[in-house]
Amino acid sequence: MLTLHTRLLELAYDKKRLLVNGDMPAFSALVKEEATILRQIKQKEAERLQGTLVLDDEEKEALRPVVLELKRQNELNAVLLEQSLRYIEWHLDMLMPEADDFTYGQQALETRSFSRDV
């Protein structure tokens, strides 16, 4: 369990670096690896709850700070991801004005009469 959680923490640090650098292809690959590790942790936790895996006190004590740091890093990554999304939305809004600016609305169609007479 400690090894898996430590690897998850390493990935969380890597996610921060990738978010800051804007390397989305690498970020995507990292998320896939993270999902694999999370499945393994879920399996180990199920074994622990069934009683087939027992953690000794030393491992529990070593696991506690790793989990707390993982939580802190994930919260930071969530903030960074939210900021990135807001920046992208802002950028898109600047590049793509409202659709009403480009199209004729129903009101324009009602006020104009179109004649096919030549």
Side-chain angles (χ1 to χ4, degrees), residues 15-31:
K15 278 171 66 173
K16 176 188 172 195
R17 180 181 50 79
L18 295 173
L19 281 169
V20 169
N21 293 335
D23 188 352
M24 290 302 113
F27 183 84
S28 180
L30 190 140
V31 168

Side-chain angles (χ1 to χ4, degrees), residues 3 6 11 15 35 42 46 49 66 74-75 77 79 84 90-91 94 98 106-107:
T3 304
T6 301
L11 291 177
K15 278 171 66 173
K42 185 177 178 180
L49 291 173
V66 173
N74 282 338
E75 289 170 352
N77 287 345
V79 169
S84 294
W90 174 80
H91 224 59
M94 296 299 291
E98 293 295 318
Q106 184 65 29
Q107 182 182 16

Side-chain angles (χ1 to χ4, degrees), residues 1-3 54-64:
M1 288 281 274
L2 181 60
T3 304
V54 178
L55 301 177
D56 61 11
D57 290 338
E58 186 177 312
E59 189 171 8
K60 287 177 186 176
E61 284 302 314
L63 193 57
R64 184 169 288 124

Side-chain angles (χ1 to χ4, degrees), residues 88-103:
I88 290 169
E89 287 175 355
W90 174 80
H91 224 59
L92 286 173
D93 287 344
M94 296 299 291
L95 293 172
M96 302 175 78
E98 293 295 318
D100 291 343
D101 294 345
F102 293 110
T103 60

